[in-house]
Amino acid sequence: MQELREKFITTEGEYKEGEVAVLRQRFSLENKGSRVTRAILTSTAQGMYEADVNGIKVGKQMYAPGYTYYPRRLLYQENDITSLLKAGENELRIYLGQGWYCGRFLCENKTQIYGQKPGAAWILCVIYEDGRQEQICSDMDVEVLESPYEYAGEYDGEIYHAGLENSEKVIGHVVLYTEKIPDSLEKTLMEVQVQEEMPVQVVSTLEDGRTILDFGQNFAGIVEIDPQYFSGEVVTIRHGEILNPDGSVYTNNLRKAKATIVYHSAARISADTESNLDTQVTPVVENRVSHNIGKYRPRFTYMGFRYMELSGAVYVPGMITAYAVYSDMKRTGDFHCAHPMVQKLYENQVWGQKSNYVEVPTDCPQRDERMGYTGDGHVFALTGAYNFDTHDFWKNFLTDLRLGQLDNTEGYVGATVPATGSAGIGFISMLGWGNAVTILPEMMYRQFGDEEALPGQYESMKLFVEAEIRKMGRKNLWIGASLGDWLAPGRDMAWQAMHNNPVSNSFIVHDLEVISQTAEKLGKNEDALRYREQLEKTRAAYIKKFVKKDGTVAKDYQSAYIMALKFVIPKGELRDKVLQKYVENVKKNGMETGFFATEHFLPLLVEAGETRLAYDMLLQEGCPGWMYQIKNGATTTWERWDALKPDGTVNEEKVQTSGENMVSFNHYAFGSVGEFYYQYILGIRPLEPGFAKVHFEPYPDERLGSVKGSYVSRHGEIRSEWSYGEDGTLHIVLETPVETEVVLPDGRKDNVEAGRYEYHIFS
């Protein structure tokens, strides 16, 4: 891709936040007795871009070229545009926005994070029937047209003038782009695309004439505006997740994000003029694709919303359409249950994933954040890998994690990826976040059978673990401030910072376990010995400091029990004691977990032999609890258990360090309960990496009624089903494509080959 690197161009003038340039290149394709058989457009940008050929969008990708660690890696796209070309004159337009590269981004609302201005480059390779090839590249003859965009940015939205969308007015020419282009240009692995249409379910009108549209589902997406319903109006569309008591859209939790579309519609043109514009062209090849030309969709933003407030025009059905937007992934998981609230929770966590798998694993899609959080990402990763085939999504993310880490002065991985500049370990170490460096590749190996995931991340893991070892020193523990089990109920930020160590140090133990095992597999014997010795020292130091002989952990702190059991304490007498103390804690206090411990809360109760208690906790309707969210109308999982207080008001507690509102109704961390659905309710787990062999062990509960679901693994679809008869008999069905180890609720065990099997357990 060296040639593409040399073709970058940009516009003249100083940087202006929210500016969108329209670049036009005209070119002629003369038949000369030979037809065009193929035309490939290779394009990229430092910034965000969309390409149109003869007024038709190229490809399906949104927010191209994609968000990467720009100092070291940039993506490019290859699109076959043969069907978009016509004989004679053609026109390529590039809409060039600022995106993550230099637009406003981060909680701090910074601009020009990675560079000063956006730039674009492209090469169009045209292949003729007689074998001739022609290249049309971005060069100094490209024109800069008047832009229909007054503003475009991820957080605030877009201000668009429809009357200028086909403007022919040339306002300048391009200049050579002089900013550094990264050495690595790679083809896009995962595309964000427009997905489901979200039908309007309820329409209401406020006293002042504003129209409220309810799509019935919180999601990340965009609006589409049909211009045939407007003539000269200025339409303003605001987005929100919930409504205020007066029926208006609640926007306090957006913080500095406006999340608004302002659409200046064009004045109506006469039928004669409209007919003249619709001239016929001769396609180079047949089967030209059809598109909704003329309809407006945002190119440079998306919103997190359920409700939409329309002002400036009278609402008519059809004038506004909404679509979900997320990374394009194959659906692999399925779950159906007779218990409506349990089913709704499953659907909510799926929508949480769709809403937050937009280019990177974001924390939320609505406010001025939407960053690729490592902690939120890894706690939901296993659930997400059952819902969808996320292999390429994480492969892309881990590449940027690895590259950004190289510019960290201490070899550390921060809270968000792609990294936003060189840095070291700050006052808040964010242990539990950067540990995605070991957790994600381990998940990819076990879930997808990716043999390269751990070896490919080894040097990255090593940099991270060495930073941890330096911080631990002779104590063999890292005692310092961190966020702990973030948003555990009743534990504010100050408390977490002072009591985080049994949570944060559990991740270090896990890191040492993973890297020592990986070193052994790679034959790196010196490394393996070093990390195995450090593992034993750190595990012993952890147990000595945080675990009493009677099994009490960190003064009976529930999150500490969970993280110690998950990552630190091996099987044996002490583990049995800790499990028992954990069960006693849950029976006494209910659920008190935050972002990290919630993932393991129910599975550890099952391990302790308390399956009934696990279902009690799943089904309990008080706060904190999943069913509390369902009872309060949630359609995705919330950032905090009490995002809505029991009295129905919004929890607007401010973040102590910033004074900002922190309540999101679309965070997926607590949706990690989906792991329990697949692995325990359905009982589908890998016995060997990638499900080459399966372990099938469902844990039924009569309160759920009937249950069925499936997972499409690398080796085929695994189906699970169970139900209770009127006489209390439990009927279980397994369909498996591979050898499977079966463990039934009555203790029976079986080893079966691929096939369909039915089991009956009599009451």
Side-chain angles (χ1 to χ4, degrees):
M1 284 293 110
Q2 180 61 32
E3 187 177 4
L4 187 63
R5 295 179 78 252
E6 296 170 353
K7 301 297 181 182
F8 271 84
I9 56 176
T10 188
T11 58
E12 296 180 296
E14 298 297 318
Y15 172 87
K16 179 183 177 184
E17 197 249 318
E19 190 173 54
V20 176
V22 182
L23 311 180
R24 179 174 70 180
Q25 184 174 48
R26 289 171 166 168
F27 56 94
S28 179
L29 296 177
E30 299 297 336
N31 283 334
K32 297 180 180 178
S34 181
R35 289 167 49 87
V36 171
T37 57
R38 197 169 184 220
I40 303 296
L41 178 66
T42 304
S43 50
T44 187
Q46 294 211 126
M48 191 179 286
Y49 82 98
E50 187 169 291
D52 281 5
V53 172
N54 296 323
I56 300 173
K57 174 178 165 57
V58 173
K60 295 181 178 180
Q61 184 172 354
M62 299 286 288
Y63 319 127
Y67 184 21
T68 54
Y69 183 59
Y70 296 105
R72 292 181 178 266
R73 186 168 81 116
L74 184 64
L75 301 178
Y76 68 88
Q77 288 68 51
E78 279 187 358
N79 285 286
D80 188 327
I81 63 167
T82 313
S83 62
L84 305 185
L85 299 177
K86 61 180 191 265
E89 294 297 321
N90 290 266
E91 180 179 286
L92 168 66
R93 291 196 184 197
I94 300 290
Y95 294 86
L96 179 61
Q98 296 164 349
W100 300 283
Y101 181 73
C102 60
R104 198 171 101 242
F105 191 49
L106 307 181
C107 297
E108 299 83 4
N109 280 267
K110 293 183 179 179
T111 60
Q112 300 174 293
I113 296 166
Y114 297 101
Q116 300 303 302
K117 285 189 68 176
W122 62 86
I123 299 172
L124 172 58
C125 181
V126 182
I127 303 171
Y128 292 92
E129 196 173 38
D130 61 7
R132 288 185 299 115
Q133 291 191 18
E134 179 181 3
Q135 277 197 351
I136 300 160
C137 306
S138 46
D139 57 28
M140 295 304 105
D141 291 331
V142 172
E143 299 170 318
V144 181
L145 300 181
E146 183 178 26
S147 176
Y149 291 91
E150 185 177 330
Y151 179 92
E154 180 169 2
Y155 293 156
D156 284 355
E158 296 185 358
I159 303 174
Y160 189 81
H161 295 264
L164 300 177
E165 64 186 10
N166 294 310
S167 175
E168 299 289 322
K169 183 179 179 180
V170 177
I171 61 172
H173 283 79
V174 297
V175 295
L176 186 67
Y177 188 67
T178 58
E179 296 194 20
K180 183 181 182 300
I181 310 299
D183 294 332
S184 176
L185 262 67
E186 302 174 17
K187 191 174 181 180
T188 297
L189 190 62
M190 175 70 68
E191 293 186 0
V192 174
Q193 294 184 5
V194 175
Q195 308 283 353
E196 300 99 322
E197 180 179 335
M198 309 298 291
V200 174
Q201 296 190 12
V202 178
V203 179
S204 57
T205 304
L206 302 180
E207 290 183 359
D208 60 5
R210 289 175 293 166
T211 303
I212 304 297
L213 307 182
D214 177 3
F215 294 91
Q217 173 65 54
N218 198 345
F219 66 102
I222 59 172
V223 297
E224 180 180 81
I225 297 176
D226 191 334
Q228 70 174 310
Y229 293 96
F230 303 101
S231 180
E233 293 102 333
V234 178
V235 182
T236 301
I237 296 173
R238 301 169 70 227
H239 303 74
E241 298 182 287
I242 63 171
L243 297 179
N244 291 310
D246 66 357
S248 61
V249 171
Y250 174 84
T251 58
N252 287 358
N253 66 333
L254 301 181
R255 303 197 298 218
K256 293 184 176 65
K258 294 179 181 177
T260 299
I261 298 296
V262 180
Y263 177 78
H264 294 257
S265 65
R268 194 77 68 200
I269 58 178
S270 69
D272 291 340
T273 305
E274 194 171 38
S275 176
N276 292 334
L277 291 175
D278 188 23
T279 56
Q280 296 295 315
V281 296
T282 304
V284 176
V285 296
E286 296 178 357
N287 300 322
R288 181 173 179 174
V289 296
S290 61
H291 293 258
N292 291 328
I293 300 174
K295 293 184 179 181
Y296 162 80
R297 288 182 180 179
R299 289 185 170 97
F300 303 103
T301 189
Y302 68 94
M303 314 294 184
F305 65 104
R306 170 178 170 172
Y307 299 95
M308 182 184 295
E309 177 188 282
L310 172 71
S311 59
V314 176
Y315 176 74
V316 177
M319 70 193 314
I320 302 291
T321 308
Y323 295 91
V325 171
Y326 51 89
S327 293
D328 196 43
M329 306 167 289
K330 177 186 175 183
R331 185 70 186 267
T332 51
D334 187 45
F335 180 89
H336 296 280
C337 172
H339 192 295
M341 294 177 74
V342 173
Q343 179 64 29
K344 183 60 177 171
L345 176 58
Y346 173 80
E347 294 164 1
N348 285 7
Q349 62 83 20
V350 171
W351 273 107
Q353 179 176 10
K354 291 178 179 180
S355 305
N356 286 291
Y357 276 33
V358 180
E359 199 64 42
V360 294
T362 61
D363 56 326
C364 56
Q366 75 294 102
R367 68 189 182 211
D368 55 349
E369 206 159 348
R370 314 183 195 183
M371 294 139 65
Y373 275 94
T374 46
D376 308 46
H378 78 67
V379 300
F380 187 83
L382 182 54
T383 292
Y386 274 101
N387 291 334
F388 293 90
D389 185 341
T390 58
H391 179 270
D392 287 353
F393 181 85
W394 289 120
K395 183 177 179 181
N396 183 68
F397 185 78
L398 284 169
T399 299
D400 286 310
L401 183 153
R402 187 165 58 245
L403 293 175
Q405 186 183 11
L406 296 176
D407 292 331
N408 184 285
T409 57
E410 297 180 77
Y412 202 67
V413 176
T416 62
V417 170
T420 53
S422 59
I425 299 171
F427 170 70
I428 296 178
S429 64
M430 300 297 275
L431 277 167
W433 275 260
N435 306 87
V437 71
T438 59
I439 294 171
L440 290 174
E442 181 186 38
M443 182 279 293
M444 292 174 68
Y445 170 61
R446 295 191 185 282
Q447 191 76 3
F448 302 119
D450 185 347
E451 298 280 354
E452 299 301 318
L454 286 162
Q457 204 71 28
Y458 182 76
E459 293 302 324
S460 169
M461 292 191 293
K462 187 173 179 178
L463 278 174
F464 187 85
V465 169
E466 289 294 340
E468 290 179 315
I469 292 173
R470 288 193 300 273
K471 288 292 181 181
M472 289 192 296
R474 294 181 180 179
K475 295 179 181 179
N476 295 308
L477 293 172
W478 185 344
I479 304 299
S482 188
L483 294 182
D485 195 22
W486 182 239
L487 293 183
R491 316 287 188 179
D492 64 17
M493 188 173 178
W495 191 96
Q496 290 285 3
M498 296 301 295
H499 298 83
N500 77 86
N501 291 296
V503 172
S504 59
N505 278 274
S506 71
F507 286 101
I508 299 178
V509 176
H510 179 258
D511 290 341
L512 290 165
E513 182 80 55
V514 172
I515 198 169
S516 58
Q517 291 176 355
T518 305
E520 288 169 4
K521 289 182 180 179
L522 293 175
K524 297 180 180 291
N525 297 329
E526 288 186 11
D527 282 1
L529 178 61
R530 167 174 165 74
Y531 296 131
R532 181 61 64 182
E533 289 177 347
Q534 184 62 61
L535 169 63
E536 296 310 318
K537 290 177 183 178
T538 299
R539 176 180 280 129
Y542 185 104
I543 293 172
K544 181 179 180 180
K545 186 169 183 64
F546 302 123
V547 186
K548 290 184 176 182
K549 291 182 180 179
D550 69 352
T552 302
V553 180
K555 299 180 181 179
D556 203 36
Y557 175 26
Q558 188 177 110
S559 297
Y561 281 117
I562 291 172
M563 301 313 295
L565 286 165
K566 178 63 181 177
F567 289 143
V568 182
I569 303 174
K571 291 182 179 180
E573 183 181 356
L574 180 60
R575 183 179 182 86
D576 293 341
K577 290 180 179 179
V578 173
L579 269 172
Q580 185 57 42
K581 288 290 185 180
Y582 167 55
V583 170
E584 292 173 7
N585 179 288
V586 173
K587 288 180 176 179
K588 179 176 65 177
N589 301 312
M591 183 163 60
E592 296 184 325
T593 54
F595 273 28
F596 297 134
T598 296
E599 177 187 2
H600 315 297
F601 178 78
L602 298 178
L604 285 171
L605 289 176
V606 173
E607 181 189 331
E610 295 284 348
T611 301
R612 184 77 180 185
L613 178 60
Y615 276 103
D616 289 344
M617 293 295 100
L618 175 66
L619 296 172
Q620 72 95 11
E621 298 180 6
C623 183
W626 292 284
M627 298 303 135
Y628 174 81
Q629 297 183 11
I630 305 299
K631 281 183 63 180
N632 282 276
T635 61
T636 46
T637 49
W638 299 345
E639 179 178 22
R640 33 195 333 160
W641 293 112
D642 59 350
L644 282 182
K645 298 178 183 178
D647 64 3
T649 60
V650 178
N651 185 343
E652 295 194 317
E653 179 185 351
K654 302 294 190 291
V655 180
Q656 293 168 329
T657 53
S658 67
E660 296 279 13
N661 173 308
M662 194 192 71
V663 57
S664 160
F665 295 94
N666 196 348
H667 255 65
Y668 58 14
F670 293 143
S672 60
V673 68
E675 176 182 330
F676 182 78
Y677 276 68
Y678 288 108
Q679 294 200 332
Y680 292 86
I681 300 178
L682 294 176
I684 299 172
R685 281 181 265 176
L687 183 62
E688 292 185 359
F691 292 83
K693 293 183 180 179
V694 172
H695 178 84
F696 178 68
E697 187 174 0
Y699 290 86
D701 188 290
E702 69 278 5
R703 287 171 288 182
L704 270 60
S706 60
V707 167
K708 63 179 178 180
S710 63
Y711 171 63
V712 181
S713 74
R714 287 292 190 269
H715 291 271
E717 185 176 36
I718 307 154
R719 300 194 64 82
S720 170
E721 184 175 347
W722 54 259
S723 61
Y724 287 88
E726 292 183 2
D727 60 354
T729 300
L730 175 61
H731 180 219
I732 297 175
V733 178
L734 163 69
E735 292 183 36
T736 177
V738 295
E739 183 181 340
T740 299
E741 175 184 84
V742 178
V743 180
L744 298 174
D746 61 0
R748 279 185 289 164
K749 296 182 180 180
D750 197 7
N751 285 288
V752 301
E753 300 297 323
R756 186 179 190 275
Y757 302 89
E758 296 189 28
Y759 302 92
H760 296 274
I761 298 175
F762 300 98
S763 58

